[in-house]
Amino acid sequence: MEYDLSIDNLAVVKEKAIDLAFQFGPALFKALVLLLVGRYVIRLLLKVMTKALDKYEIDPSLATFFKSFLSAILWVLLLISVATTLGMEMTSFVAILGAAGLAVGLALQGSLANFAGGVLILVFKPFRVGDTVEAQGTLGSVESIDILYTKVRNFDNKVVTIPNGALANNSIVNYSLKPTRRVEMAVGVAYGTDLKKTRQVILDTLKKDERIHEDPAPVVYFTNFGDSSLDLTIRCWADVADLWPVYWDNMEAIKEAFEAHDIEVPFPQRDVHHYYPEGKK
């Protein structure tokens, strides 16, 4: 196919291009300016809202949710304004937006469930930002609660993003809701050991730790005849922040107390009886 690139045709094309530029150029320029200014205004409003929420000490969970929700609404309004500036009629745009919203709603049913789950979490507050929770196979500290997802940082510093719908419809274990926690330790002593003496040694060791509460008082129970040991369970109460330090420090202290009082901590062992055929060594 051959194209007619004569001077007359080029002039016509140039003239049409100039006409289109004069016709749509101003609207396009206005839409671009509106988009840039609107983006700046949205950021400014979010900063103002953040300062206001911090000033009035709004719960961090609600603060994050409100900021995410406001950002989504502002961006939708900005896109509508840009479309109107480009010459799209509002009624047509609303009709298109409604049809698109229906299609998107059907396609994103899971996201809508996550949104509803986020609202339920913020209303009933099974956990807050900073709480230690166990949910959906993840144990860690809640970093943020957004519109659709909750971020949990586990104890090896990995951030797990969990859908709010799954959190709202399944069991959640909150380790931070109560101010105190029970510390449970397990030890074993050799068969033949005086259990009363062992119990008293353990209780005397626990009394030296000021972090352990006196009420409820620590207890030591004999719980099992093990293969190589008599198994004991130790239970005491401490503040949530002291849970693991109390556990680690007292396990070591009990081991040292056992050594000081000649209480044997056994290791797995087996008795082997070897029978030789008659007449053979």
Side-chain angles (χ1 to χ4, degrees):
M1 179 182 295
E2 296 183 358
Y3 295 93
D4 187 1
L5 299 178
S6 64
I7 296 177
D8 293 338
N9 289 335
L10 290 176
V12 172
V13 172
K14 181 179 179 181
E15 183 178 352
K16 289 184 178 180
I18 294 173
D19 291 340
L20 290 174
F22 277 108
Q23 182 179 357
F24 296 104
L28 185 60
F29 178 76
K30 290 179 182 179
L32 182 60
V33 172
L34 179 61
L35 180 62
L36 295 176
V37 173
R39 181 181 178 187
Y40 173 77
V41 171
I42 289 175
R43 290 182 177 179
L44 183 62
L45 289 176
L46 291 176
K47 288 182 179 179
V48 172
M49 184 178 183
T50 301
K51 292 181 179 179
L53 293 173
D54 293 340
K55 179 180 178 180
Y56 292 101
E57 298 181 352
I58 302 299
D59 184 88
S61 305
L62 288 172
T64 303
F65 186 85
F66 286 152
K67 286 187 289 186
S68 301
F69 190 68
L70 177 62
S71 177
I73 292 177
L74 290 176
W75 273 105
V76 170
L77 294 176
L78 178 59
L79 292 177
I80 292 176
S81 300
V82 170
T84 304
T85 303
L86 289 174
M88 183 177 293
E89 294 183 3
M90 182 58 67
T91 54
S92 302
F93 186 77
V94 171
I96 295 174
L97 190 62
L102 178 60
V104 171
L106 293 175
L108 300 178
Q109 294 182 21
S111 297
L112 295 176
N114 291 337
F115 176 80
V119 173
L120 292 175
I121 289 172
L122 293 173
V123 170
F124 294 103
K125 297 180 179 179
F127 57 84
R128 303 170 184 263
V129 172
D131 286 357
T132 299
V133 300
E134 182 177 2
Q136 299 297 298
T138 299
L139 173 62
S141 176
V142 179
E143 281 203 335
S144 65
I145 304 173
D146 298 325
I147 293 179
L148 302 178
Y149 300 97
T150 293
K151 293 182 179 179
V152 177
R153 178 172 55 85
N154 59 24
F155 295 115
D156 57 355
N157 212 31
K158 297 176 182 177
V159 177
V160 181
T161 302
I162 306 176
N164 287 336
L167 288 176
N169 292 291
N170 290 280
S171 299
I172 302 172
V173 180
N174 191 332
Y175 293 96
S176 303
L177 194 59
K178 299 296 182 180
T180 60
R181 289 273 308 279
R182 189 180 73 186
V183 184
E184 186 165 318
M185 296 169 275
V187 298
V189 295
Y191 275 89
T193 302
D194 186 343
L195 292 182
K196 292 183 179 179
K197 174 186 174 182
T198 303
R199 180 180 288 107
Q200 191 59 49
V201 168
I202 294 174
L203 292 175
D204 291 342
T205 302
L206 297 179
K207 288 180 181 178
K208 298 177 182 178
D209 193 336
E210 297 180 352
R211 297 169 297 183
I212 296 178
H213 296 182
E214 295 182 359
D215 185 21
V219 293
V220 180
Y221 294 113
F222 170 55
T223 54
N224 183 49
F225 291 95
D227 292 338
S228 304
S229 64
L230 300 174
D231 298 332
L232 302 172
T233 297
I234 307 164
R235 292 175 178 172
C236 58
W237 290 82
D239 293 341
V240 171
D242 297 328
L243 174 70
W244 288 112
V246 166
Y247 177 87
W248 293 321
D249 293 345
N250 283 280
M251 285 295 287
E252 184 174 347
I254 290 171
K255 186 259 184 186
E256 293 174 354
F258 281 0
E259 292 176 348
H261 291 83
D262 296 323
I263 297 175
E264 182 183 353
V265 178
F267 53 87
Q269 51 188 308
R270 294 288 185 273
D271 291 333
V272 179
H273 301 274
H274 194 170
Y275 296 92
Y276 292 94
E278 185 178 354
K280 294 185 179 180
K281 296 183 179 181

